[in-house]
Amino acid sequence: MKSKLKELSSRRSCQSIRPSLKKIERYMRGWLNYYGIADMKNKIDDLNSWLYHRIRMCIWKQWKLPKTKKRNLMKLGIPEYFAHQAANSRRKYWYVSGMGAVNRALTKERLINSGFYDLATAYQSVHVNC
């Protein structure tokens, strides 16, 4: 499952994040409906946090230029100093998407509101009904 999620959210295919989110949602909904009766809350929580990190990485790559990254971070409420520091970092996408400024800008709530399928909530709704 994790390799399929890596394929659906790869850096090559995340030029537009919306179609990737729809594919991930469709795949995970089917997977949870099939395996939802199993007791795997901790594994789902770990997978969910990994997937949030992965989506942040795709969004970070999608912004491309440092000035775009800085502008978007500032729009999301990050102070200019921290936005500048994150935007001009020479570290790779995965590392920067785990930094505090990016985590505070692209929170779980914002990602869910933009269309991300939260695995933990979906698992709870499927698991409770069984």
Side-chain angles (χ1 to χ4, degrees), residues 29 69 71-72 79 105 125:
R29 184 172 288 152
K69 293 173 183 177
R71 183 179 62 236
N72 288 338
S125 66

Side-chain angles (χ1 to χ4, degrees), residues 10-114:
S10 74
R11 287 196 313 245
R12 283 183 284 125
S13 66
C14 66
Q15 293 303 317
S16 177
I17 197 71
R18 300 275 183 215
S20 295
L21 288 177
K22 292 295 177 195
K23 289 177 188 174
I24 290 170
E25 177 183 356
R26 188 175 22 192
Y27 177 73
M28 287 312 300
R29 184 172 288 152
W31 192 87
L32 280 174
N33 285 334
Y34 189 78
Y35 293 106
I37 59 173
D39 187 24
M40 55 185 169
K41 184 177 179 348
N42 291 337
K43 291 186 191 249
I44 290 291
D45 289 340
D46 293 342
L47 184 67
N48 204 24
S49 63
W50 173 81
L51 201 51
Y52 277 117
H53 195 159
R54 189 107 174 133
I55 297 302
R56 281 189 203 102
M57 177 191 64
C58 288
I59 293 170
W60 190 251
K61 182 178 182 187
Q62 191 177 8
W63 288 347
K64 294 190 187 269
L65 299 175
K67 67 180 182 179
T68 308
K69 293 173 183 177
K70 180 179 175 181
R71 183 179 62 236
N72 288 338
L73 286 175
M74 288 173 59
K75 277 184 194 175
L76 294 171
I78 302 300
E80 184 178 0
Y81 173 77
F82 295 112
H84 179 79
Q85 196 174 25
N88 291 302
S89 174
R90 294 177 150 244
R91 304 299 291 261
K92 301 289 182 181
Y93 298 114
W94 184 257
Y95 181 85
V96 176
S97 64
M99 288 176 72
V102 179
N103 279 334
R104 279 183 273 136
L106 299 170
T107 60
K108 269 186 176 181
E109 292 77 26
R110 282 196 177 127
L111 290 175
I112 290 171
N113 290 338
S114 69

